[in-house]
C-alpha cells in the first residue's frame, strides 16, 4: 500500500499519479485535488509489482506560474502474509478484514459432501472461518490477484452462524448446513455480506447466491470456502467496505513466507520453497543444515532477485547415514530475518543395530538386567530404558 | 562413468523411440484461443493476461506415441481434464473426431501447470498426446 500526501501552506496542491515506462508514455492512474489553498491532499493506492509510477505535484494557480515549495510524503506499508486456508473445512484457518494477504492454492479439488450452492465447480478451494468480535452487519470484498496485480476469478460460499468450528465443519461436510450465500460470477472481486446483501446470482440458478443474511452476533463463527477458478498462483484479500460489525483479527495466523520442504532424490537432498507476499521485500535466504538440530552450518546463501517465487536448492554434501535437518532464514531489506520451521530428511540407509547394553556403571549387561539399561546402537545413538525384569 | 554413459544412452534412446516428434502449440494464436475461452469475460483476454497464457502454452506440445509404446508412458485421458467452460458453455473436449493438432487450444483445459514432472494427456481414440512440460524451478 502506498500513501501520498502533501500539506501545502498558503497554496493549492494537486497530485497526479501515472504509470508507464517513461515520461513519454504515461497512463493516468488518478488525479487528486480535493480542496483549495492550504488543503492537505492525500491518495492511497496499491501499486502493481514491476510497474513504474510517476507522481506529479503542482500548484494550482490562475497566474500561470508559481515559486511555492512544500513537502510531499510518500509512505509505503506492506501487508502481512497469513497462512493459507485449509483445503478441507476441518483445516479452516481464521480470516478477518485486516490488511493481510492470504495465499491461494492451485491444482486441488474440493472435498465431497458439502452443498456448494452456486459453485458449479470448486477448483483449488481454501477454507477460512471468522469469529465475530463486534456485533452488527458486515460487507466485505473478497479480491484475488496474481503477483503482478492482475485480477483472478474468485468465487465463494459462506456458511453460518455456528457456535464453534467443529460443529460448523461437521454440519457443512455432511451437507446438513447449507450455504447462506455464494457467488460464481466471473469477477475477481466478490461481495460477501452479513446483515446486508452480498453474493451473486450471476451464472447461478441454484438459490443462496445473492442473499441478505441476518446481522452477526459476538462470538458467532462463519465459515467461507474461497475457490480459485483461474487456478493461477496469487493472493486473496478481504476488505470490509461497510457495516458496523467486525471479525477478530487477533486470531489470524501469520505465515512464514515460505512453503519449505525437502526430499532425497538422485543421491542428493533437494530443498524447495515458495515465496509468498511482495517478492521484492525479501533480499536473500540462508539455507542451513544440521545433524543434531542444535549446531547449524550454512549450505547456501540464495539472493532473491525480486521476481522469483519458486526456489530449489540441492545439497550434495549432506551427512550420509544420518537424519539431516534443514531450516531457512529469510531476510528483508531492513536486514530483519525470519526462520522457517525445521524439516528433516532421513538419509539413513542402514537400520541401526544394537551393539550392547550397559548399566549406569558402564558394565555390559544382558536383557534380563533389572533397573536402568542403556542400549547403544551401531549409529552411535543411545536409548535409556528402565527394565522391570527380575 | 562408462556405465553411466551407457545408461544415459539407453534412456535417451527409449525416450526418442517412444516419442518420435513433438509439435509445439502455436503461441501466435493466443488471442484467438483466449477469446474462445473467455468469451463472456473479455477482461481476462487482455494483454496482461495473454502474456501469462503464452507462458503456459510454451510448455505444451503435441506428440504422437505408437500403441505398442504406450506401456512406457503414464497418461490421463484428455476427456477427463475439466474444461474452463465457465465463460463459454460451448467448449467441448477434443476427441478423435474433432481433434486438429494445428488448432488445438490448451487454454480450454484446467491443466495443473504447477507440477514438477511432465504430464501426458491422450486425445481419446487417437495416438495424439498433449505433453505438459514440468514447471522449471529456479
Amino acid at each position: 500500500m502506498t500513501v501520498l500526501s502533501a500539506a501545502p501552506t498558503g497554496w493549492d496542491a494537486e497530485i497526479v499519479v501515472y504509470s508507464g515506462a517513461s515520461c513519454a508514455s504515461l497512463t493516468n492512474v488518478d488525479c487528486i485535488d480535493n480542496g483549495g489553498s492550504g488543503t492537505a491532499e492525500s491518495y492511497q493506492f496499491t501499486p502493481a509489482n514491476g510497474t513504474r509510477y510517476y507522481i506529479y505535484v503542482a500548484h494550482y494557480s490562475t497566474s500561470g506560474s508559481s515559486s511555492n515549495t512544500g513537502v510531499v510524503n510518500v509512505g509505503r506499508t506492506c501487508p502481512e502474509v497469513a497462512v493459507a486456508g485449509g483445503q478441507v473445512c476441518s483445516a479452516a484457518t481464521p480470516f478477518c478484514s485486516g490488511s493481510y494477504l492470504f495465499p491461494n492454492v492451485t491444482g486441488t479439488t474440493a472435498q465431497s459432501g458439502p452443498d456448494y450452492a452456486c459453485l458449479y465447480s470448486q477448483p483449488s478451494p481454501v477454507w477460512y472461518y471468522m469469529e465475530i468480535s463486534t456485533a452488527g452487519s458486515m460487507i466485505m470484498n473478497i479480491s484475488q490477484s496474481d503477483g503482478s496485480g492482475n485480477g483472478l476469478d474468485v468465487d465463494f460460499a459462506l456458511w453460518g452462524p455456528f457456535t464453534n468450528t467443529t460443529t460448523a465443519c461437521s454440519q457443512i461436510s455432511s451437507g446438513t448446513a447449507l450455504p447462506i450465500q455464494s457467488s460464481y460470477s466471473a469477477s475477481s472481486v466478490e461481495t460477501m455480506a452479513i446483515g446486508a446483501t452480498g453474493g451473486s446470482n450471476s451464472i447461478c440458478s441454484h438459490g443462496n447466491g445473492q442473499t441478505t443474511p441476518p446481522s452477526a452476533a459476538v462470538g458467532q463463527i462463519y465459515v467461507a470456502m474461497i475457490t480459485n477458478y483461474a487456478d493461477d498462483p496469487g493472493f486473496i484479500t478481504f476488505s470490509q467496505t461497510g457495516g458496523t460489525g467486525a471479525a477478530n483479527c487477533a486470531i489470524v495466523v501469520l505465515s512464514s513466507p515460505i512453503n519449505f520442504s525437502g526430499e532425497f532424490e538422485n543421491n542428493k537432498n533437494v530443498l524447495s520453497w515458495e515465496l509468498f507476499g511482495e517478492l521484492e521485500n525479501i533480499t536473500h535466504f540462508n539455507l542451513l543444515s544440521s545433524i543434531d538440530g542444535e549446531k547449524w552450518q550454512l549450505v547456501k546463501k540464495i539472493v532473491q532477485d525480486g521476481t522469483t517465487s519458486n526456489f530449489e536448492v540441492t545439497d550434495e554434501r549432506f551427512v550420509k547415514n544420518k537424519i539431516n535437518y534443514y531450516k531457512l532464514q529469510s531476510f528483508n531489506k531492513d536486514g530483519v530475518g525470519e526462520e522457517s520451521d525445521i524439516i528433516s530428511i532421513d538419509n539413513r540407509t542402514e537400520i541401526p543395530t544394537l551393539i550392547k547394553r550397559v548399566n549406569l556403571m558402564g558394565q555390559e549387561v544382558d536383557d534380563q538386567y533389572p533397573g536402568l539399561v542403556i542400549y547403544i546402537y551401531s549409529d552411535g545413538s543411545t536409548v535409556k530404558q528402565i527394565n522391570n525384569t527380575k | 562413468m562408462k556405465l553411466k554413459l551407457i545408461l544415459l544412452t539407453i534412456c535417451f534412446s527409449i525416450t526418442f523411440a517412444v516419442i518420435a516428434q513433438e509439435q509445439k502449440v502455436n503461441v501466435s494464436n493466443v488471442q484467438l484461443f483466449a477469446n474462445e475461452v473467455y468469451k463472456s469475460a473479455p477482461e481476462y483476454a487482455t494483454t496482461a493476461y495473454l502474456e501469462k497464457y503464452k507462458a503456459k502454452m510454451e510448455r505444451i506440445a503435441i506428440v504422437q506415441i505408437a500403441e505398442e509404446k504406450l506401456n512406457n508412458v503414464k497418461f490421463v485421458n484428455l476427456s477427463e481434464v475439466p474444461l474452463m467452460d465457465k465463460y463459454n458453455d460451448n467448449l467441448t473436449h477434443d476427441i478423435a473426431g474433432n481433434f486438429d493438432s494445428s488448432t488445438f487450444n490448451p487454454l480450454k483445459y484446467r491443466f495443473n501447470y504447477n507440477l514438477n514432472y511432465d504430464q501426458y494427456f491422450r486425445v481419446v481414440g487417437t495416438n495424439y498426446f498433449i505433453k505438459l512440460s514440468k514447471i522449471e524451478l529456479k
Side-chain angles (χ1 to χ4, degrees):
Chain A
M1 184 67 69
T2 296
V3 180
L4 307 173
S5 61
T9 304
W11 56 281
D12 181 4
E14 304 168 324
I15 304 175
V16 187
V17 180
Y18 300 99
S19 64
S22 71
C23 288
S25 59
L26 296 178
T27 302
N28 181 56
V29 175
D30 213 339
C31 301
I32 305 97
D33 186 14
N34 293 317
S37 179
T39 303
E41 301 284 356
S42 69
Y43 180 61
Q44 180 174 301
F45 71 114
T46 304
N49 277 343
T51 299
R52 177 177 294 187
Y53 292 90
Y54 288 82
I55 300 159
Y56 173 74
V57 183
H59 168 198
Y60 171 77
S61 171
T62 51
S63 66
S65 65
S66 170
S67 57
N68 284 314
T69 59
V71 176
V72 177
N73 294 305
V74 180
R76 295 204 67 193
T77 54
C78 299
E80 294 184 278
V81 179
V83 295
Q87 292 180 32
V88 291
C89 182
S90 58
T93 58
F95 79 95
C96 77
S97 59
S99 59
Y100 301 104
L101 290 173
F102 294 84
N104 69 9
V105 299
T106 60
T108 61
T109 54
Q111 67 182 94
S112 58
D115 183 309
Y116 291 115
C118 289
L119 275 63
Y120 293 114
S121 66
Q122 310 90 30
S124 303
V126 279
W127 290 80
Y128 293 102
Y129 72 89
M130 67 175 171
E131 180 186 288
I132 303 301
S133 57
T134 304
S137 59
M138 293 179 73
I139 304 170
M140 207 177 273
N141 277 351
I142 305 172
S143 309
Q144 185 177 230
S145 59
D146 64 14
S148 301
N150 298 312
L152 302 174
D153 185 355
V154 66
D155 302 308
F156 79 93
L158 177 70
W159 290 263
F162 299 99
T163 52
N164 57 64
T165 54
T166 306
T167 306
C169 287
S170 167
Q171 294 182 10
I172 291 169
S173 299
S174 65
T176 313
L178 303 179
I180 58 169
Q181 195 172 85
S182 63
S183 176
Y184 192 60
S185 85
S187 178
S188 61
V189 181
E190 299 283 4
T191 301
M192 184 167 78
I194 300 165
T197 302
S200 168
N201 291 329
S202 172
I203 328 179
C204 178
S205 56
H206 179 286
N208 288 1
Q210 187 177 70
T211 62
T212 308
S215 288
V218 172
Q220 287 181 331
I221 300 287
Y222 287 84
V223 175
M225 185 191 75
I226 319 283
T227 60
N228 175 10
Y229 191 84
D231 222 23
D232 281 336
F235 294 93
I236 299 160
T237 55
F238 302 91
S239 58
Q240 190 166 344
T241 59
T244 53
N248 182 3
C249 284
I251 58 173
V252 171
V253 183
L254 297 181
S255 168
S256 160
I258 46 183
N259 273 343
F260 185 40
S261 63
E263 57 183 343
F264 180 66
E265 251 181 45
N266 301 325
N267 295 320
K268 288 175 279 194
N269 284 348
V270 180
L271 292 308
S272 59
W273 64 95
E274 198 173 346
L275 180 56
F276 294 124
E278 294 194 1
L279 305 183
E280 73 270 23
N281 280 347
I282 302 291
T283 56
H284 69 278
F285 297 98
N286 285 340
L287 177 64
L288 305 169
S289 71
S290 170
I291 52 167
D292 57 10
E294 292 177 3
K295 292 175 188 165
W296 295 90
Q297 61 177 6
L298 182 68
V299 176
K300 192 172 181 181
K301 177 181 176 180
I302 302 97
V303 175
Q304 155 69 345
D305 61 10
T307 60
T308 306
S309 57
N310 291 290
F311 298 84
E312 188 174 287
V313 171
T314 55
D315 179 17
E316 296 176 30
R317 293 185 293 177
F318 64 90
V319 182
K320 292 188 170 64
N321 212 25
K322 291 275 188 189
I323 297 175
N324 284 265
Y325 299 92
Y326 293 92
K327 67 179 177 182
L328 196 61
Q329 297 172 324
S330 54
F331 294 88
N332 67 18
K333 285 179 176 170
D334 298 321
V336 178
E338 190 176 348
E339 280 192 357
S340 69
D341 291 336
I342 296 170
I343 62 167
S344 64
I345 300 179
D346 191 346
N347 294 117
R348 291 176 298 181
T349 51
E350 298 166 7
I351 299 168
T353 53
L354 182 65
I355 302 293
K356 61 182 177 182
R357 302 175 194 85
V358 296
N359 61 17
L360 278 176
M361 290 175 287
Q363 297 163 326
E364 195 159 345
V365 295
D366 62 22
D367 60 353
Q368 299 300 306
Y369 183 82
L372 186 71
V373 177
I374 302 168
Y375 293 81
I376 301 172
Y377 290 89
S378 58
D379 64 349
S381 62
T382 59
V383 173
K384 291 173 185 166
Q385 189 176 305
I386 295 175
N387 227 335
N388 290 323
T389 309
K390 287 186 179 174
Chain B
M1 189 64 184
K2 198 172 176 182
L3 180 64
K4 274 186 184 174
L5 278 173
I6 293 168
L7 285 172
L8 274 174
T9 309
I10 291 170
C11 287
F12 178 78
S13 304
I14 288 172
T15 308
F16 191 73
V18 170
I19 300 166
Q21 194 182 341
E22 281 193 10
Q23 179 188 343
K24 298 301 272 186
V25 172
N26 191 350
V27 176
S28 63
N29 284 336
V30 64
Q31 182 74 68
L32 199 67
F33 290 166
N35 290 347
E36 182 185 16
V37 174
Y38 299 97
K39 189 176 175 185
S40 67
E43 64 268 33
Y44 298 122
T46 55
T47 309
Y49 292 92
L50 296 184
E51 291 305 312
K52 288 156 61 100
Y53 304 149
K54 273 186 198 171
K56 289 180 174 179
M57 289 169 68
E58 281 165 358
R59 289 170 53 197
I60 300 276
I62 297 159
V63 298
Q64 283 184 275
I65 303 174
E67 198 68 33
E68 62 270 21
K69 305 285 174 57
L70 285 184
N71 287 340
N72 297 317
V73 182
K74 188 179 172 188
F75 65 86
V76 171
N77 285 332
L78 188 62
S79 56
E80 293 170 28
V81 179
L83 289 169
M84 295 277 288
D85 58 359
K86 181 175 182 177
Y87 320 106
N88 183 352
D89 286 344
N90 296 323
L91 296 184
T92 56
H93 284 92
D94 294 83
I95 52 172
N98 64 13
F99 180 71
D100 180 346
S101 62
S102 64
T103 58
F104 173 69
N105 181 357
L107 303 182
K108 286 198 308 188
Y109 294 93
R110 185 177 290 287
F111 291 129
N112 186 347
Y113 287 90
N114 298 301
L115 299 180
N116 62 352
Y117 53 86
D118 294 345
Q119 301 166 75
Y120 290 88
F121 304 92
R122 185 179 195 177
V123 181
V124 176
T126 74
N127 64 345
Y128 282 105
F129 288 75
I130 310 305
K131 179 187 174 188
L132 169 53
S133 299
K134 65 182 179 181
I135 189 168
E136 292 296 336
L137 296 174
K138 293 185 181 179

